[in-house]
Amino acid sequence: MKKASDFAYERAARMIDAEPAAVRAIFEVEAAGRFFNPDGSVPRRFEPHHFPREHWAALGFFPKKGQAPWRASLALSTSKRRAMYEKAKSIDPELARRASSWGAPQIMGFNHEDAGFLSASEMVERFHDPAMQIKGFVNLVASWGLDSAIRSHDWYAFALRYNGNGKAADYAGKIEAAYRRASGKRSRVVLRVGSRGSDVAALQEALARLDLLPADGVDGSFGPLTLAAVEEFQKIHGLNVDGVVGAKTWEEVREYSDPKQRKSPPQTQETGLDRFERKASQWLAALFAGGSGSHIIATMSDNVEVIGLSVGAIVVLAILALIARELYRRRSA
């Protein structure tokens, strides 16, 4: 089974002036599929609802009345999908490939231009080289304007565009975890308009030291004045002028920050495990601070999306926790 080399990630990263570890992390999370099938073919998933509607009957694709075509497509078995693809290919090979997603990154054939290929057929042929699957993926995200987010380690902005609103935070945490594995480093928190807190204040102090922000503008709130100062700083230092303080801007800003701040650990982005540990500590604090059963259940229920349990399971755990707390108190008495 062929795999991509480290050089393939390095070459792809150079295309968008990003770290190879950042590209590897995103590819690991967003392209979790195989580069190749056991027989050496490029993985394919045919989506009949993307094939011309006038041929649906010939494919045997009949969405129910009132049913969204994409939902009907989602319900298809692998064998049915394979048979439909072969029929579609006999009608029009290029259109069949356009209506399918390909390779580890599962790039839809109709996105071939954004991925850097003249046609879906060319993309499929070139995808027999794993390095081309990575390159196509990087071309695609650059075409969608996500290369800046990769350089900035702005995983949330990347996931928001690539995965949609519903799972952006979850995917951002997964990418950060993958980046830590690939690089051994943590990504600093990304600041933008609306951000608040000590990291914003540290940023503002550095900008004020450079006379890009008035001293009374150091208030820990990223507003219009801070935005203008950040954009000016980025312009001076030859950075991408987007007003977002990501990895590369932080690297430059840190040189002008207070020496004490440079020694203190910066706030970093969270992974799913980080969020779980933080939420778990809140739950334990509620438990051992003597909170009521309803308070503990409410605290745990707030974390359903983090720990992946149903509310019913959380109620059971909360009851067990209350019993454990009572036993702990009796033993300590």
Side-chain angles (χ1 to χ4, degrees), residues 8-32:
Y9 287 104
E10 291 168 5
R11 183 172 60 183
R14 284 200 299 270
M15 292 167 54
I16 55 173
D17 191 26
E19 290 178 79
V23 173
R24 184 187 289 273
I26 289 176
F27 195 87
E28 177 184 324
V29 173
E30 300 292 357

Side-chain angles (χ1 to χ4, degrees), residues 26-224:
I26 289 176
F27 195 87
E28 177 184 324
V29 173
E30 300 292 357
R34 305 180 306 274
F35 281 101
F36 301 102
N37 293 319
D39 64 359
S41 62
V42 177
R44 177 197 70 234
R45 180 182 171 87
F46 180 58
E47 304 290 359
H49 62 289
H50 286 302
F51 200 69
R53 184 181 291 265
E54 61 266 27
H55 298 301
W56 285 4
L59 299 181
F61 181 58
F62 301 103
K64 297 177 182 177
K65 185 176 181 180
Q67 182 184 31
W70 68 268
R71 286 191 179 277
S73 183
L74 187 65
L76 293 173
S77 66
T78 300
S79 59
K80 184 68 173 176
R81 200 181 293 274
R82 186 181 299 117
M84 284 185 176
Y85 174 77
E86 292 302 327
K87 181 62 179 178
K89 188 177 175 183
S90 70
I91 296 172
D92 189 313
E94 174 64 16
L95 290 180
R97 291 173 184 132
R98 284 173 178 252
S100 305
S101 60
W102 297 93
Q106 289 293 283
I107 297 175
M108 288 299 301
F110 57 70
N111 283 323
H112 63 84
E113 289 187 8
D114 287 345
F117 303 98
L118 295 176
S119 65
S121 297
E122 184 201 10
M123 184 179 80
V124 175
E125 181 60 31
R126 300 291 295 277
F127 271 15
H128 282 88
D129 178 354
M132 292 306 297
Q133 294 192 28
I134 296 174
K135 184 177 179 181
F137 177 75
V138 171
N139 282 337
L140 182 71
V141 298
S143 296
W144 290 356
L146 295 175
D147 50 327
S148 176
I150 296 174
R151 288 191 294 270
S152 300
H153 295 187
D154 194 348
W155 312 137
Y156 182 79
F158 180 92
L160 193 64
R161 170 66 175 84
Y162 201 87
N163 305 106
N165 292 334
K167 292 287 186 178
D170 183 38
Y171 274 97
K174 290 179 179 178
I175 295 171
E176 172 62 14
Y179 175 74
R180 293 181 189 180
R181 290 192 296 272
S183 68
K185 299 183 291 185
R186 293 170 176 253
S187 301
R188 189 158 183 172
V189 66
V190 175
L191 303 181
R192 51 169 51 84
V193 172
S195 298
R196 295 176 178 274
S198 58
D199 272 44
V200 176
L203 166 69
Q204 292 171 328
E205 288 171 2
L207 295 172
R209 192 171 285 108
L210 294 169
D211 294 327
L212 296 176
L213 188 73
D216 59 3
V218 181
D219 58 4
S221 178
F222 198 131

Side-chain angles (χ1 to χ4, degrees), residues 251-324:
E251 187 178 335
E252 294 290 341
V253 167
R254 197 165 174 80
E255 295 297 317
Y256 302 96
S257 61
D258 185 276
K260 293 181 180 179
Q261 292 172 347
R262 288 201 292 270
K263 293 179 180 179
S264 62
Q267 184 180 351
T268 58
Q269 297 182 48
E270 285 189 326
T271 65
L273 180 59
D274 292 335
R275 284 196 296 273
F276 173 78
E277 291 176 344
R278 176 168 53 80
K279 296 291 188 179
S281 66
Q282 293 173 358
W283 172 71
L284 288 172
L287 172 63
F288 289 102
S292 66
S294 60
H295 178 216
I296 294 172
I297 291 173
T299 303
M300 294 182 73
S301 296
D302 288 341
N303 305 328
V304 171
E305 77 287 353
V306 176
I307 60 181
L309 297 176
S310 67
V311 174
I314 285 177
V315 170
V316 172
L317 281 176
I319 293 172
L320 292 174
L322 288 169
I323 294 172

